[in-house]
């Protein structure tokens, strides 16, 4: 099955911070891959903007090198690479002064989609928004894209929303959470709402509990200063894990449209109970000479690089079904997976020897995106009725053919959604604020109690207390499998 590519009309995309890490590693390679897929060709232009004084060719040289690393497969087609690079331009400008803005204004074309990607630190969001308006660059087809972190707490998120709202309408603001761009995350919605099979079982009567794990094997290298101010709760839980929880827990929206989906997600966040202090485990990785505190250069840091917690969504659907969430750095493997743990059958006709068996629906986000349903069957062979759990695999690649083995990167979909004007996979301002309103008291509690994270070994599955969190409830985490 060959996936359809729907071309988009010519657009102007300005990447503020075009020389930075995110633009070079993610945004520009994503645009190049969509270019190679034939999604955009004629007339579109991408303008990198930052303070460094490149000319257009200098910028193209930088991007060419990045693409060789981050879009190596597509770079084998040299004519496609050069054709893409010809569509790139560069303007040297300063986000906090008026230097360079006249040049940018002259490059933009009227009457087409105009997207400004804020791939810069958050302190520049306000100054950039002000200057875009001051220089008369806002048209009805203008959109802005903002990256995480969206605020540090509720107050700062509200202030940031207010700053952006002073210049743009909500339907012009695209707040990125790249987890929402992952193919499997969207597939989760297709599986839930496109099939009759799962939705009737998708509630506390049939689901025992849900586990959401986002494990990273990497540390925080290169982001030490930011990370030590943020920690796992702000960096991952408030946004990525919260978004995954919303998609699992939300009611079916009436249609797959931005506000219908985001209204349902918001209801989930607002239905979250405050988390009890004894339902949270914080951890900090250790390692000979490379422990968290050495890495951040602060021997007294109490920032968590790991957090696990038990959350409750207090509504009719989920009353009594806990959501266990965990995320951490320097863990045994890189693995993001949601496990929907169904209840045991109410009565075993096979007797005690058959053991206890329950269905598990696993939604893997990375690596090896795919969905697996564990079902119980009879172990083959004579000798009585022995039961065994086997995966009913719904790996996309096998079912949909080899051309789907390499699903588009999250940024490919999200950037093209910005151009198409589809906000479904972007966070709305009120969602972000509600997520902070849930997160802030948790962090304030740690600060008030002087909480110190539990140490855990680099390369492990996290602190032992996270296992206890489950064990106390008679449950256990599914393995962190690569
Ligand atoms: P980075 O590598 O430090 O790049 C920052 C960019 O901003 C550079 O291009 C820099 O270029 C430009 N810049 C800095 N000050 C400027 C100014 N006054 N006017 C105009 N341009 C200016 O940062 P990054 O890692 O790409 O991150 C960018 C944003 O994305 C941050 O908000 C970050 O939190 C977020 N983010 C990054 C990642 C990631 O993987 N990197 C992931 C998720 C979110 P000049 O120095 O030439 O001006």
């Amino acid at each position: 099955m060959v996936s359809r590519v729907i071309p988009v009309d010519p657009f102007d995309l300005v990447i503020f911070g075009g020389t930075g890490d995110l633009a070079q590693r993610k945004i520009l390679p994503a645009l190049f891959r969509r270019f190679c897929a034939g999604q955009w060709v004629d007339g579109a232009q991408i303008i990198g903007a930052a303070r460094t004084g490149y000319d257009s060719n200098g910028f193209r040289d930088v991007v060419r090198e990045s693409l060789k690393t981050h879009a190596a497969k597509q770079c084998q087609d040299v004519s496609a690479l050069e054709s893409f690079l010809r569509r790139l331009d560069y303007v040297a400008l300063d986000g906090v002064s008026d230097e360079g803005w006249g040049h940018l204004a002259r490059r933009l074309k009227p009457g087409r989609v105009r997207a400004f990607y804020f791939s810069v630190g958050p302190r520049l969001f306000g100054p950039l928004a002000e200057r875009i308006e001051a220089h008369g660059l806002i048209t009805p087809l203008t959109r802005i894209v903002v990256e995480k972190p969206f605020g540090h707490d509720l107050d700062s998120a509200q202030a940031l929303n207010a700053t952006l709202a002073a210049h743009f309408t909500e339907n012009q603001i695209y707040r990125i959470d790249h987890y929402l761009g992952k193919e499997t995350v969207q597939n989760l919605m297709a599986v839930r709402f496109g099939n009759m099979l799962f939705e009737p079982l998708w509630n506390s009567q049939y689901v025992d509990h849900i586990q959401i794990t986002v494990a990273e094997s990497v540390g925080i290298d290169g982001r030490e200063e930011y990370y030590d101010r943020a920690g796992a709760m702000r960096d991952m839980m408030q946004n990525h894990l919260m978004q995954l929880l919303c998609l699992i827990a939300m009611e079916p929206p009436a249609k797959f449209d931005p506000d219908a989906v985001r209204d349902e997600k918001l209801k989930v966040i607002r239905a979250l109970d405050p988390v009890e202090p004894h339902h949270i485990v914080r951890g900090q990785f250790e390692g000979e000479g490379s422990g968290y505190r050495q890495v951040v250069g602060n021997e007294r840091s109490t920032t968590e690089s790991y957090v696990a917690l038990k959350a409750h969504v207090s509504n009719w659907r989920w009353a009594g079904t806990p959501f266990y969430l965990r995320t951490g750095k320097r863990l045994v493997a890189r693995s993001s997976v949601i496990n929907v743990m169904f209840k045991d059958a109410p009565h075993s006709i096979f007797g005690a020897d058959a053991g206890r068996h329950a269905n598990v629906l696993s939604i893997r986000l990375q690596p090896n995106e795919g969905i697996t349903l564990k079902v119980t069957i009879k172990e083959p062979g004579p000798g009585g009725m022995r039961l065994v759990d086997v995966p009913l695999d719904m790996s996309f690649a096998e079912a949909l053919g080899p051309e789907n083995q390499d699903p588009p990167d999250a940024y490919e979909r999200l950037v093209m959604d910005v151009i198409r004007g589809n906000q479904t996979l972007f966070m709305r301002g009120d969602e972000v604020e509600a997520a902070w309103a849930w997160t802030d008291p948790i962090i304030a509690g740690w600060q008030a109690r002087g909480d110190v994270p539990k140490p855990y070994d680099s390369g492990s599955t996290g602190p032992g207390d996270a296992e206890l969190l489950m064990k106390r409830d008679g449950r256990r985490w599914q393995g962190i499998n690569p």
Side-chain angles (χ1 to χ4, degrees), residues 127-143:
L128 287 174
E130 268 168 39
R131 279 170 183 77
I132 291 171
E133 182 164 35
H135 289 271
L137 306 185
I138 303 179
T139 66
L141 290 176
T142 291
R143 285 134 211 192

Side-chain angles (χ1 to χ4, degrees), residues 54-68:
Y54 292 120
D55 60 13
S56 297
N57 281 331
F59 181 60
R60 287 175 189 141
D61 289 343
V62 171
V63 177
R64 185 183 289 107
E65 287 312 305
S66 297
L67 294 180
K68 282 181 186 165

